[in-house]
Amino acid sequence: DFLPRDVMPILGFVAMPNENGYSINGYTNPSFITRTHFQTYKDAGFNIISGLYEREPFNTYEIRRAVDLAEELGLVYFVQDLDVRGDISQEAMNELIGSKWYLNKKSFGGISLKDEPSVNDFSSMGNATRALKELMPDKVTHATLFPWGASDSQLGIYDMPGTDAETMWARYEVYVNRYMQEVKPKLLAYDCYALFYEGDDLLHPIPARAEMLKYAVKSMSLFKKLSQEAGIPYWVTIAPYNHLFRRQIPQKQVEWNVNLALAYGAKGIQYYTYWTLLEHGSEEALKDHQYAGLVTLGGTPHNTYYSVQDI
């Protein structure tokens, strides 16, 4: 309910980082929580922001600036709040979330709980989701689930060991169904990067690509079924560049992936990653490469930015 009914949710993860002091490969980012960078984000077609580096309660000042800029530009903001990750009672969670400063901000759309949670996180996520539903039923808790192929340790499911494709799929179905049962979300989101392998194309896939495509489609079928049963939307995360093999994914293939998700009933699209992650190298090392995010570490739009903007 935080967007008009005729507006598709489009989210770029991760968004503009704050000045966090985190340094890697000789590069430490300054704060990019500025109107200019928020406008660049909006100009690409994005309408929802979810933080990563800026986290409540440690970066409250930066988050307040981000929430205000989002409001100024008509964007929705999901606050990443580390406070709500604690395994506390439902009563305590209700009181905690009810005390939060961001609830009454116009741009507040929900709470970003955790990226790729395991089943061990579901208890606290369920408490937070129930608390927010009671306090503000038009807002959501947001979490992007692991994709098919995640390990048993990542999913937190150890009684179904195995690395063959069918075992991983069975384990994944248990993981997603437990999320639905224990968290009871108002929104489903997950990542599954179908177009990831180097040296092949959609018409002549190598075996690994063919298997990835197969399970990407199975995942969409699963999430469509679960979203219809629960009466809630689901969003798919799509990668416009390959951060494992460090290559740009052609625009037409990204567009194909978006349209495939829409054909399977997805109501929103998330892109990974909007802002180049610090982990991917220094600004100097990345500025001319094709495996940056949609914008470089310094915030300059890359060619993938314009591809996504066009899509």
Side-chain angles (χ1 to χ4, degrees):
D1 294 336
F2 44 74
L3 286 175
R5 291 186 62 84
D6 60 347
V7 175
M8 178 181 290
I10 308 288
L11 185 152
F13 192 80
V14 302
M16 295 64 70
N18 67 303
E19 184 177 10
N20 52 52
Y22 176 43
S23 180
I24 190 168
N25 295 338
Y27 182 82
T28 303
N29 69 273
S31 175
F32 292 101
I33 310 297
T34 68
R35 195 184 194 285
T36 297
H37 290 296
F38 272 59
Q39 185 68 57
T40 300
Y41 185 87
K42 181 178 180 179
D43 289 345
F46 296 103
N47 47 37
I48 299 175
I49 298 174
S50 182
L52 176 67
Y53 296 117
E54 58 281 10
R55 298 171 176 177
E56 174 76 11
F58 301 109
N59 306 109
T60 298
Y61 173 72
E62 295 276 16
I63 297 174
R64 284 184 181 272
R65 289 175 57 207
V67 167
D68 289 342
L69 283 168
E71 181 174 332
E72 185 179 338
L73 292 172
L75 298 167
V76 174
Y77 195 91
F78 290 164
V79 177
Q80 182 166 190
D81 192 340
L82 300 187
D83 277 346
V84 305
R85 294 186 184 179
D87 195 10
I88 58 179
S89 69
Q90 186 66 66
E91 183 180 359
M93 184 67 78
N94 293 353
E95 184 177 348
L96 172 65
I97 293 182
S99 69
K100 288 296 182 177
W101 61 269
Y102 49 72
L103 293 186
N104 296 318
K105 302 295 288 187
K106 185 177 180 181
S107 60
F108 172 67
I111 300 174
S112 177
L113 293 177
K114 189 174 183 181
D115 184 45
E116 298 186 325
S118 77
V119 295
N120 302 319
D121 301 307
F122 290 173
S123 175
S124 62
M125 293 171 71
N127 283 348
T129 298
R130 285 185 287 273
L132 188 62
K133 278 182 182 178
E134 184 174 327
L135 289 163
M136 305 188 77
D138 59 334
K139 309 300 181 183
V140 300
T141 53
H142 177 263
T144 300
L145 299 182
F146 274 112
W148 163 84
S151 67
D152 52 357
S153 60
Q154 288 176 313
L155 301 181
I157 298 174
Y158 296 96
D159 57 352
M160 302 177 68
T163 57
D164 61 285
E166 288 306 310
T167 298
M168 289 193 293
W169 178 255
R171 189 167 58 219
Y172 187 62
E173 282 194 295
V174 170
Y175 166 74
V176 177
N177 277 290
R178 283 191 58 179
Y179 178 73
M180 295 297 292
Q181 294 162 7
E182 297 180 34
V183 179
K184 293 182 172 56
K186 291 180 63 179
L187 168 68
L188 267 171
Y190 75 105
D191 53 46
C192 185
Y193 306 129
L195 307 176
F196 236 49
Y197 285 90
E198 196 168 28
D200 65 337
D201 57 59
L202 287 173
L203 297 179
H204 306 92
I206 60 175
R209 162 68 68 75
E211 184 171 84
M212 181 67 81
L213 287 175
K214 171 185 175 181
Y215 284 97
V217 172
K218 281 175 70 76
S219 297
M220 290 181 192
S221 297
L222 172 63
F223 279 88
K224 179 181 180 180
K225 174 179 176 290
L226 292 173
S227 70
Q228 289 179 334
E229 289 175 350
I232 61 175
Y234 85 91
W235 301 354
V236 177
T237 309
I238 290 169
Y241 83 104
N242 186 324
H243 55 278
L244 293 182
F245 293 94
R246 295 183 173 180
R247 71 178 183 91
Q248 180 181 341
I249 296 172
Q251 178 176 333
K252 286 298 180 183
Q253 292 195 24
V254 178
E255 188 170 8
W256 171 86
N257 203 171
V258 170
N259 285 327
L260 180 67
L262 299 182
Y264 273 84
K267 301 300 182 183
I269 301 295
Q270 304 180 153
Y271 288 94
Y272 181 85
T273 174
Y274 175 75
W275 202 275
T276 295
L277 297 179
L278 285 171
E279 289 87 342
H280 292 179
S282 68
E283 171 72 2
E284 184 63 28
L286 287 175
K287 64 182 181 181
D288 295 322
H289 292 193
Q290 291 187 323
Y291 54 86
L294 302 188
V295 300
T296 66
L297 281 173
T300 303
H302 202 271
N303 54 350
T304 49
Y305 172 94
Y306 299 105
S307 293
V308 166
Q309 184 184 54
D310 187 51
I311 294 171

